[in-house]
Amino acid sequence: MAANDDRERLKREAARKALELVEPGMRLGLGTGSTARHFVDLLGEKVAAGFSVRCVATSEATLAQANGLGIPMTTLDDMPELDLTVDGADEVDPELRLIKGGGGALLREKIVAAASRSMAVIVDASKVVPRLGAFPLPVEVVPFGLAATRRHMEAVLAGLGLGGRPVRLRGGEAPFVTDGGHFILDCSLGAIPDPERLAAALSAIPGVVDHGLFIGYARVAFVASADAVETRRRS
Ligand code: 5RP
């Protein structure tokens, strides 16, 4: 229990640090997950005190939270260019490449990040890894042709030297359904030697909507540990 409380405190500290980037009038993307939730909470406090921003959510859950806090929300259709997105991650490597999608929101998260001039990642130090892949890589797929898409993915993984790794349908017999109506296949790869190559190979598979490798999106990461929040920038 105490360890969990400590971790929540670290997530909040990372979120508080990211809030320093937010200027009045900014157009913001709001991430998804327990760390992003802290950021939205803190932003809500600022808005309640009169701070002006306009935001787009990366999930229905975040939209509901933000609406509940009175944060002015809109859509990418009405505001297709954003100044900054703040989001969590499941893994962050030294080049600020990310694995995301543990909360199942990777597609909207990537669309929102791609519409943003900058992306800040907020994590506790446990998410920082020397190499991506210990966290199972989420891949969002359309339900139609699931078995065929999965076989295709397994063949692609084998071709990249990642054969035999479990590829599991999230939720099993009661599949998890994303906000976009898709399924998620979680790939337990152990380690990803070449994230760029894997990202390109997965994107080329029909039926794959997107994957949780975020490469070239994060400009800065705020990493909270017991002592401090460290700022890491992509060179
Ligand atoms: C959701 C995500 C989250 O940002 C990621 O899973 C981290 O979540 P948390 O902050 O709860 O650890 O990508 O799709």
Side-chain angles (χ1 to χ4, degrees):
M1 184 62 175
N4 207 29
D5 287 351
D6 282 351
R7 195 142 178 230
E8 288 308 311
R9 190 181 55 77
L10 296 184
K11 291 176 188 180
R12 199 161 183 95
E13 288 316 307
R16 201 184 302 283
K17 187 76 183 169
L19 203 62
E20 292 175 12
L21 297 178
V22 178
E23 294 170 15
M26 266 191 169
R27 302 161 297 177
L28 296 179
L30 304 180
T32 295
S34 58
T35 316
R37 191 171 178 83
H38 286 293
F39 179 80
V40 176
D41 265 346
L42 293 168
L43 183 67
E45 288 174 12
K46 260 178 108 80
V47 167
F51 196 83
S52 130
V53 281
R54 281 213 298 159
C55 302
V56 170
T58 54
S59 63
E60 296 299 324
T62 297
L63 180 62
Q65 183 198 1
N67 279 336
L69 292 167
I71 297 173
M73 300 303 293
T74 184
T75 63
L76 277 187
D77 294 321
D78 287 335
M79 194 170 71
E81 194 181 321
L82 305 177
D83 299 300
L84 172 70
T85 285
V86 178
D87 204 346
D90 301 300
E91 284 186 348
V92 184
D93 83 356
E95 294 173 48
L96 301 195
R97 295 177 294 193
L98 315 173
I99 286 183
K100 285 186 52 55
L106 70 94
L107 177 60
R108 291 191 186 184
E109 289 173 332
K110 200 177 278 187
I111 293 171
V112 169
S116 303
R117 286 166 46 204
S118 184
M119 178 189 191
V121 175
I122 48 177
V123 288
D124 66 79
S126 70
K127 305 285 188 69
V128 177
V129 296
R131 184 155 75 157
L132 299 177
F135 189 92
L137 176 68
V139 179
E140 187 157 343
V141 299
V142 293
F144 178 86
L146 174 67
T149 304
R150 183 187 184 137
R151 275 169 67 95
H152 198 157
M153 275 173 56
E154 285 167 346
V156 162
L157 292 174
L160 294 176
L162 296 167
R165 313 302 202 274
V167 174
R168 293 194 182 87
L169 179 63
R170 190 176 298 181
E173 295 195 348
F176 174 88
V177 179
T178 69
D179 285 342
H182 306 125
F183 292 163
I184 296 218
L185 291 170
D186 289 307
C187 307
S188 298
L189 302 176
I192 301 175
D194 188 343
E196 282 78 2
R197 196 156 167 235
L198 177 59
L202 288 172
S203 294
I205 298 173
V208 168
V209 184
D210 215 327
H211 52 75
L213 286 166
F214 282 51
I215 300 174
Y217 288 98
R219 289 268 188 88
V220 61
F222 297 114
V223 180
S225 58
D227 307 328
V229 180
E230 184 197 343
T231 303
R232 297 188 177 196
R233 292 185 196 279
R234 181 156 54 90
S235 43

